[in-house]
Amino acid sequence: MGISPELLLTILGLPNIEIESVSLNSAGELEIRVKSITEGAVCYNCGRRINKPYYPGKEVRLRHLPVCGYPTYILIAPLRYQCEHCDGNQGKRI
Ligand SMILES: [Zn+2]
């Protein structure tokens, strides 16, 4: 591709993510798989800091603006956090 991950992140304008892979699929679309590198969250319920990540597992495919003329999609598995202090409510990203 000749595009560095750093340049891609700048182009995409997405904070707190890390690129795992970049590929061109059979339809000629650029697929950029990313993961969140944000650490920790605050519980909605009790307000305590939580660090136990849990992945719902369903990857989301987001349409992005074209990069270098390629139709571009971001693939990301949303990262959530689970509170161990109360009834396992999901945390809020900070
Ligand atoms: Zn809590």
Side-chain angles (χ1 to χ4, degrees), residues 43-48 50 83-87 89:
C43 179
Y44 277 125
N45 200 39
C46 67
R48 289 204 232 191
I50 49 180
C83 185
E84 296 176 285
H85 306 295
C86 58
D87 289 335
N89 284 280

Side-chain angles (χ1 to χ4, degrees), residues 22-76:
V22 179
S23 58
L24 203 55
N25 67 18
S26 55
E29 298 161 340
L30 196 61
E31 291 185 328
I32 304 172
R33 179 167 280 106
V34 301
K35 67 175 181 185
S36 173
I37 54 171
T38 306
E39 280 188 22
V42 172
C43 179
Y44 277 125
N45 200 39
C46 67
R48 289 204 232 191
R49 192 163 177 82
I50 49 180
N51 292 299
K52 184 186 177 187
Y54 108 94
Y55 293 85
K58 182 148 172 61
E59 195 172 64
V60 181
R61 196 169 190 260
L62 304 168
R63 181 79 200 250
H64 196 274
L65 294 173
V67 173
C68 299
Y70 293 102
T72 299
Y73 292 87
I74 307 295
L75 306 176
I76 186 166

